[in-house]
């Protein structure tokens, strides 16, 4: 071939590779497209620049703060007096410094939660900081936080709850939409640059019992106009809710999904047709693509709280997630192609509490240490021309590692369907990990490896590009022991095989000289058991594990029940085993609410409240509203809670602690479920406990 012709062919090839078709955010399939054609298109759907910038943040923070911080609730009902809001020592610099040091890049404030109380100086309602005693009604939490973000180099976002249990116009749809957009306008004009707007999916009744029809497309247009670079999350087109509030993403997590943001009618119809929702197991499989007409770039965000609930409650102080738990969450979110949105609720003083800060600092240190050195020799980026390819990477001399990071260059889309990793050991390739999607980042935790080479094998939907492949050595946490008690009051303590366990039963801190644990022991009273695990003949020691127990349920019995399904007897609600549940029949002609269980405690008790433990798998029967009765003879009953509400139990099925107005004496109690979170006719309870005095 002549030189000139050669040049021409060359430039055509170059041009072809540069002009590879890309569909920003979404693509509609041509009619009659084959699966192959659809997969090709799916491979070329790419994030918007805003979505890409957001994904690169990796870890972000939620600050749930507001009237609930002062009432101890998770969902306020909008009737709270604004005078309750009075942080004594609010310091948003302390919030920002804490999270900055732990590696977070953006923070989101609950400018208004479902109770309607506004944390900023708003003209739209009197239900705000302006009516509070804090700073004589002149304070502005949103402003203070935004200034601190600027100071600490953090991006800034706002959570504005569409559901408003205080606004009088709520349910009068056009009027409320107008009101809501005025609130949005204030937040997006008076508070500098806003990078994320978070719209909660929760939609309930307003003060007049009416449900609102939100005009999301109008909200989006307003955001586009006022803050074009912000991403809109959850009830928004840019960021998708992962489907749980427990801190884990999917093993197979496609950022390019057939699921669409269903605030629009056509998206709702499409999702229904495909039989999928935000909580479905998979959202980008071939089976789904085959049936789909459209696909979108809608990446996942994992939102989870460092505490039990979303707001700060002192009762949860002993259950702040540890650095080890936070690290697990990191691997299960960022390490599974999601952005982490970790909630760190400030306390009544207006500060991040000490334990939360300590755990965050330790978690931040863990990640810094891990990322400090890539244990693989640097290589050129891996750009494959095929769908199926393998590549060998050299490990640095003598280097050990226990984490592998795979990262696709998502500027070109997400294409990898499956991978496997092998290591070279005694001249043999041995498979050590397998998985499905990669996307922006996939982290694999492994036992410590000391090998010379690793080989990555890829199967993709099209040719594919890596951003990088790296390996790290993460420090190992010294796990705390696990303490459990069964219905008969027998306590067992478990730790890793080679650990020695020492414990106390009087609330004191255990040390190497404390009682040695060998076999389960009886502990029937209310009290605290603490334990440590000791390794390497006393050279290494875990942090203290602490468990508060109330009186054992050994003598308790169920004396009445509304109904029960075979294998899901009411007794399962008092067997001290959260893995077994009471469930009423769930067929179409099942007996309807109210459902109840009546319990005889076999002795008179002084009781401050109760704990309802819902099933943790988020499946059927979880109660929402309830009544609670007590009795001393099993005949005369006193209703001490009427129409109580387990706020947010549907998305976050954590233990629900309910305190009575005053301490009560009882021998019998009756829990009555009035409805279910999804309005099904059935009821389930994993466990019910009393809080005795
Ligand atoms: C949920 C809300 O109902 C919770 O209270 C919390 O704000 C969480 C982040 O979203 O839908």
């Amino acid at each position: 071939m002549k030189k000139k012709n050669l040049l021409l062919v060359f430039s055509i090839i170059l041009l072809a590779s540069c002009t590879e078709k890309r569909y920003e955010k979404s693509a509609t399939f041509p009619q009659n497209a084959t699966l192959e054609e659809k997969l090709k298109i799916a491979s070329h759907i790419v994030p918007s620049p805003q979505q890409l910038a957001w994904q690169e943040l990796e870890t972000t923070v939620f600050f749930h703060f507001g009237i609930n911080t002062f009432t101890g609730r998770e969902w306020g009902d909008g009737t709270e007096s604004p005078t309750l809001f009075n942080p004594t020592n609010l310091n948003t610099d302390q919030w920002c410094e804490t999270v900055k040091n732990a590696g977070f890049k953006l923070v989101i404030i609950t400018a208004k939660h479902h109770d309607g109380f506004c944390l900023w100086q708003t003209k739209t309602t009197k239900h705000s900081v302006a009516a509070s005693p804090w700073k004589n009604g002149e304070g502005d939490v949103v402003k203070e936080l935004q200034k601190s973000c600027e100071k600490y180099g953090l991006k800034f976002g706002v959570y504005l709850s569409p559901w408003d249990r205080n606004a009088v116009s709520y349910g009068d749809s056009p009027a409320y939409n107008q009101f809501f957009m005025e609130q949005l306008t204030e937040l997006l004009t008076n508070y500098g640059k806003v990078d994320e707007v978070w719209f909660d999916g929760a939609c309930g009744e307003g003060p007049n019992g009416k449900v609102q029809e939100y005009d999301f497309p109008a909200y989006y247009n307003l955001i586009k106009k006022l803050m074009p670079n912000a991403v809109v999350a959850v009830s928004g087109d840019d960021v998708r809710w992962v489907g749980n509030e427990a801190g884990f993403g999917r093993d197979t997590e496609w950022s390019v999904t057939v699921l669409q943001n269903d605030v629009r009618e056509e998206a709702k119809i499409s999702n229904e047709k495909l039989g999928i929702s935000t909580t479905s197991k998979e959202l980008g499989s071939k089976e789904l693509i085959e049936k789909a007409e459209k696909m979108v770039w809608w990446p996942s965000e994992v939102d989870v709280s460092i505490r039990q609930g979303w707001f700060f409650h002192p009762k949860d102080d002993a259950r702040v997630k540890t650095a080890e738990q936070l690290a697990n969450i990191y691997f299960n979110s960022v390490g599974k192609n999601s952005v982490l949105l970790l909630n760190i609720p400030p306390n009544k003083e207006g500060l991040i509490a000490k334990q939360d800060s300590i755990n965050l600092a330790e978690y931040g240190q863990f990640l810094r240490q891990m990322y400090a050195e890539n244990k693989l020799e640097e290589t050129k980026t891996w750009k494959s021309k095929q769908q199926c390819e393998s590549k060998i990477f050299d490990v640095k001399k003598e280097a050990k590692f226990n984490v592998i990071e795979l990262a696709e260059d998502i500027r070109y889309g997400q294409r990898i369907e499956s991978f496997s990793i092998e290591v070279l050991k005694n001249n043999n390739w041995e498979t050590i990990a397998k998985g499905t999607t990669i996307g922006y980042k996939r982290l694999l935790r492994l036992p410590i490896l000391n090998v010379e080479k690793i080989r990555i094998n890829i199967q993709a939907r099209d040719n594919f590009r890596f951003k990088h492949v790296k390996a790290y050595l993460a420090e190992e946490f010294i796990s705390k022991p696990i303490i459990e008690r069964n219905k008969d009051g027998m306590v067992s303590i478990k730790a890793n095989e080679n650990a020695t366990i020492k414990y106390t039963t009087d609330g004191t801190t255990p040390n190497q000289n404390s009682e040695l644990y060998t076999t389960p022991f009886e502990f029937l009273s209310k009290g605290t058991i603490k334990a440590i695990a000791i390794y390497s003949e006393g050279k290494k020691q875990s942090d203290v594990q602490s468990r508060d127990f109330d009186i054992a349920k050994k003598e308790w019995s169920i004396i009445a029940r509304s109904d029960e399904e075979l294998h899901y007897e009411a007794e399962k609600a008092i067997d001290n085993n959260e893995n077994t549940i009471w469930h009423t029949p769930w067929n179409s002609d099942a007996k309807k609410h109210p459902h109840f269980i009546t319990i005889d405690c076999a002795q008179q008790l002084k009781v401050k409240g109760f704990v309802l433990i819902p099933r943790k798998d988020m499946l059927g029967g979880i109660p929402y509203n309830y009544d609670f009765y007590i009795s001393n003879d099993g005949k005369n009953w006193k209703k001490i809670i009427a129409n109580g509400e387990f706020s947010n139990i549907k998305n976050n099925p954590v233990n629900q602690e309910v305190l009575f107005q005053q301490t009560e004496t009882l021998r019998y109690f009756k829990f009555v479920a009035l409805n279910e979170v999804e309005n099904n006719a059935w009821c389930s309870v994993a466990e019910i406990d009393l809080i005795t005095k």
Side-chain angles (χ1 to χ4, degrees), residues 447-610:
I448 296 182
L449 290 164
N450 187 359
V451 294
E452 279 169 28
K453 288 175 193 302
I454 64 171
R455 182 159 72 188
I456 317 267
N457 311 303
I458 298 294
Q459 170 72 51
R461 288 179 171 172
D462 200 340
N463 57 27
F464 59 89
R465 294 176 201 235
F466 266 87
K467 191 164 118 200
H468 56 242
V469 174
K470 292 183 178 179
Y472 311 103
L473 183 63
E475 259 170 40
E476 277 168 353
F477 286 96
I478 306 173
S479 299
K480 296 188 206 178
I482 296 166
I483 307 171
E484 268 161 356
R485 185 176 74 177
N486 69 13
K487 188 178 186 235
D488 294 332
M490 298 302 287
V491 172
S492 57
I493 312 179
K494 289 191 195 91
N496 290 354
E497 249 176 66
N498 45 1
T500 308
I501 300 170
K502 298 288 178 99
Y503 72 98
T504 62
T505 57
D506 59 1
T508 56
T509 306
N511 57 38
Q512 312 230 354
N513 304 323
S514 302
E515 191 90 25
L516 173 73
Y517 174 82
T518 47
T519 50
F521 57 91
E522 189 175 71
F523 188 77
L524 296 170
S525 60
K526 182 182 170 105
T528 304
I529 296 185
K530 294 185 176 178
I532 49 171
I534 300 166
Y535 297 87
S536 316
E537 277 141 31
K539 280 192 221 98
K540 279 188 185 171
Q541 186 178 309
S542 75
D543 286 341
V544 178
Q545 178 70 279
S546 172
R547 269 260 356 230
D548 296 327
F549 290 109
D550 217 294
I551 52 146
K553 297 187 272 193
K554 191 171 181 184
E555 307 297 336
W556 289 21
S557 59
I558 303 277
I559 54 167
R561 63 209 81 196
S562 57
D563 207 347
E564 67 193 9
E565 180 67 60
L566 186 66
H567 305 308
Y568 296 87
E569 295 78 15
E571 279 70 17
K572 301 265 159 76
I574 55 164
D575 66 355
N576 240 28
N577 181 354
E578 291 179 23
N579 300 318
T580 62
I581 62 174
W582 164 48
H583 205 309
T584 63
W586 55 85
N587 46 42
S588 54
D589 46 32
K591 206 194 272 175
K592 295 200 172 60
H593 285 89
H595 285 294
F596 65 87
I597 39 173
T598 310
I599 291 152
D600 177 4
C601 302
Q603 59 169 315
Q604 229 167 28
L605 299 167
K606 281 200 169 18
V607 181
K608 293 196 293 185
F610 76 97

Side-chain angles (χ1 to χ4, degrees), residues 62 64 74-75 113-114 159 198 200 202 245 303 310 648 651:
F62 237 155
H64 273 66
E74 276 291 291
W75 281 357
H113 204 251
H114 309 326
Y159 166 112
W198 215 93
D200 205 302
E245 294 181 356
D303 63 329
W310 289 95
N648 202 31
N651 289 340

Side-chain angles (χ1 to χ4, degrees), residues 19-20 62 75 131 180 219 222 304 325 458 488 529 551 585-586 607 632 666 674 679:
T19 54
E20 201 181 62
F62 237 155
W75 281 357
F180 187 78
Y219 308 166
L222 184 64
V304 57
Q325 286 172 307
I458 298 294
D488 294 332
I529 296 185
I551 52 146
W586 55 85
V607 181
N632 279 300
L666 62 88
L674 301 174
N679 268 322

Side-chain angles (χ1 to χ4, degrees), residues 67-127:
I67 217 76
N68 295 334
T69 314
F70 298 86
T71 58
R73 298 181 71 171
E74 276 291 291
W75 281 357
D77 60 15
T79 61
E80 298 82 6
S81 165
T83 57
L84 293 172
F85 184 85
N86 198 10
T88 46
N89 194 14
L90 183 109
N91 181 352
T92 50
D93 275 2
Q94 185 248 8
W95 306 5
C96 288
E97 192 175 341
T98 309
V99 306
K100 175 88 183 183
N101 288 339
F104 294 91
K105 299 283 168 23
L106 170 147
V107 308
I108 300 176
I109 177 80
T110 49
K112 177 186 87 171
H113 204 251
H114 309 326
D115 52 70
F117 181 78
C118 299
L119 292 182
W120 78 99
Q121 293 289 339
T122 175
K123 294 200 177 81
T124 60
T125 171
K126 292 210 166 69
H127 200 56

